[in-house]
Every structure is written in structure tokens, then in C-alpha cells.
Amino acid sequence: MDSRLKDFLTDAALDHDQLMVFLTDPQSAIQSAQLSADDERALRTGNPDVIYARIQGRAYDPNDPLSSSAQAITNYNYPYYPNDTGETV
């Protein structure tokens, strides 16, 4: 799976200058990142679920509970350790 879209979003989240380039000139930022046409289309939707599905290498399907990043997180069972005590709640 090509990770350019994920890398692009990660870099924008961590580097203020890259984020500002994207916000002021998105086409230039997209071209510099060499995103594919499909990555660009997903990014331009502004829909986090479409972008999440693209990063996962899947087609977005609004009826698929794992197409939604929020739903995927909700479906993931993990222990919660409050106050770093090591006791599962």
C-alpha cells in the first residue's frame, strides 16, 4: 500500500509550515507530495471517513462499519488503565 497520503497528513499535522502551505495553496502541496489522483480526490472531499478508507487501501462504503474511523475505534476493544495503576476498568 502506498503511504504517501498518510505521510502527507502526518507531516501536515506535525509541521506547522507544511500545514500552512496546504491551507494557502493546496494544489501546490498536493503536487509536492506526489499524491495520486485517488488520494487527491479523497483529500478534497474533506470527509474523514473517505480519507480514512483511502489510507487503509479500501473503497469507502458508508454501510461498512469499518469504513468509518470513529466506528473502527469504537469497535476496537482495549483495556483502559486509569491513573496508570495497571488496573483494568
Side-chain angles (χ1 to χ4, degrees):
M1 173 182 2
D2 188 352
S3 67
R4 281 185 272 189
L5 179 58
K6 182 179 179 183
D7 293 342
F8 174 78
L9 293 171
T10 300
D11 291 344
L14 297 175
D15 184 333
H16 179 264
D17 292 337
Q18 287 190 11
L19 176 61
M20 292 311 296
V21 169
F22 175 65
L23 292 176
T24 58
D25 188 2
Q27 188 60 40
S28 173
I30 288 168
Q31 286 177 343
S32 293
Q34 299 179 334
L35 297 181
S36 70
D38 290 336
D39 288 346
E40 181 178 354
R41 273 192 295 279
L43 188 59
R44 288 188 178 276
T45 67
N47 182 332
D49 293 335
V50 172
I51 296 167
Y52 177 78
R54 181 70 190 148
I55 289 171
Q56 295 299 312
R58 295 181 295 145
Y60 172 67
D61 177 359
N63 297 315
D64 177 4
L66 294 180
S67 285
S68 164
S69 55
Q71 188 63 38
I73 291 169
T74 302
N75 288 340
Y76 179 71
N77 295 320
Y78 58 91
Y80 172 62
Y81 303 104
N83 303 322
D84 296 324
T85 63
E87 295 180 30
T88 304
V89 173

